[in-house]
Amino acid sequence: MIQHDYLIAGHRIRVEGDALAGSLAAIKGFDVFQVAVGAEPLSRFVETPFTADSAVLQADATRLPNIEKVLYTNDIEGVKSCFGTKIGGGYVFGMIAECGKALLLDMTQDGRLVFFSGDFSERLLRFACWVAYGVATAPYKTVAIHTSTICYRDKAVLFLGESGTGKSTHTRLWREHIEGARLLNDDSPIIRVVDGEVLVYGSPWSGKTACYKNEHHPLAACVRLSQAPYNKITKLGVVAGYAALHPSCPPAFAYDERLYDFISDFLSDVLTAVPVYHLACLPDADAARLSCQTVFGSCEK
């Protein structure tokens, strides 16, 4: 049986099973994080057969085997998904594409053991691994944040906002107009709190921009963006800062009390350690310079 280890934001994940390990190894971005099989992993992703009971998912994305309570459902670009608690403890997660291909996860409550069954195509498998990784690492003050992330002066800045608000545009403007600025991740970097310090790690999940960097940097600031006919940046207080960060955390986890407690503790530590700003802006170079000058004091290396 094939086994592959991946070290993502300092957490070791072991993938077991010929089809599962082979399929994940073929997905662009994961190879950057692969390491030799060695120490005890935080979580094991284990291939298991897609049984007849599991096949009910193909008819209804919410009819997951052994599901006790549906916590969250979604439908994005023809892929329906469902996350819920499992009878007897743990979590289940299912995905089904418009073509009928389905993927099912059966997880222990601590995420230390995750059974994968079904279709291991990239479209489903990449996101399923993101969910499983999130469940396993949340107790360790580790959260994937939906953000476009710049690295500058060896520190990271998170740019947050709803889809379409211009996160990728703003980080592109940094790269074009601020010497030394470079992209760390364009969709889902991993944020960890380690001994009170907030660190930002590259990840295998970077959306439509292929930016997979196995490196990490201290977090300098978080900036939530909104579109406006002017450029203005405002530092937020704790309550407003929490409201700015929370929507960018994994949405399914907000509906489970245990996972939500982990997210809340994590956000509290982040807000204690780094400033949060709101930038109302135009998609222009002046907006990039304004956010850079606010966070770093100047735009010079």
Side-chain angles (χ1 to χ4, degrees), residues 130 133-134 137 142-147 188-191 205 248-250 266:
W130 183 85
Y133 178 90
T137 59
T142 303
V143 178
I145 300 287
H146 179 51
T147 171
S188 191
I190 310 299
I191 320 301
W205 303 283
S248 297
C249 295
F266 162 84

Side-chain angles (χ1 to χ4, degrees), residues 17 47 88 99 117 130 136 147 156 161 168 220 222 245 255 270-271 273 278 288 298:
E47 177 185 340
C99 60
S117 61
W130 183 85
T147 171
S168 296
C222 303
L245 288 171
Y255 298 89
V270 172
L271 291 166
H278 171 242
S298 70

Side-chain angles (χ1 to χ4, degrees), residues 83-241:
F83 180 76
T85 53
K86 188 175 64 173
I87 297 171
Y91 302 100
V92 286
F93 176 72
M95 306 174 69
I96 178 170
E98 69 277 6
C99 60
K101 294 181 178 180
L103 177 59
L104 178 69
L105 304 186
D106 185 320
M107 298 171 264
T108 56
Q109 187 177 55
D110 59 8
R112 298 295 297 267
L113 185 60
V114 185
F115 293 103
F116 284 67
S117 61
D119 181 79
F120 297 149
S121 59
E122 178 178 354
R123 188 181 185 190
L124 302 182
L125 184 57
R126 185 187 289 274
F127 186 69
C129 287
W130 183 85
V131 172
Y133 178 90
V135 170
T137 59
Y140 301 92
K141 295 189 177 181
T142 303
V143 178
I145 300 287
H146 179 51
T147 171
S148 188
T149 304
I150 278 288
C151 181
Y152 181 65
R153 296 184 184 173
D154 293 323
K155 292 189 177 181
V157 182
L158 307 183
F159 293 99
L160 313 105
E162 302 302 323
S163 296
T165 55
K167 298 185 295 297
S168 296
T169 297
H170 193 74
T171 53
R172 175 179 56 78
L173 290 167
W174 269 62
R175 301 196 308 276
E176 291 175 351
H177 300 285
I178 299 171
E179 185 180 357
R182 58 188 182 86
L183 191 67
L184 177 62
N185 186 280
D186 199 34
D187 185 71
S188 191
I190 310 299
I191 320 301
R192 285 191 66 183
V193 179
V194 182
D195 296 328
E197 183 179 21
V198 185
L199 302 174
V200 183
Y201 291 74
S203 83
W205 303 283
S206 190
K208 295 177 181 179
T209 302
C211 186
Y212 311 109
K213 296 180 179 178
N214 190 2
E215 58 186 71
H216 66 276
H217 304 274
L219 178 61
C222 303
V223 182
R224 191 157 189 90
L225 303 175
S226 65
Q227 297 176 354
Y230 53 82
N231 295 321
K232 181 181 178 180
I233 192 165
T234 306
K235 187 175 182 180
L236 302 178
V238 173
V239 175

Side-chain angles (χ1 to χ4, degrees), residues 59-71:
D60 182 350
T62 65
R63 293 178 61 195
L64 304 181
N66 300 317
I67 192 167
E68 179 180 55
K69 182 181 179 181
V70 172
L71 297 174

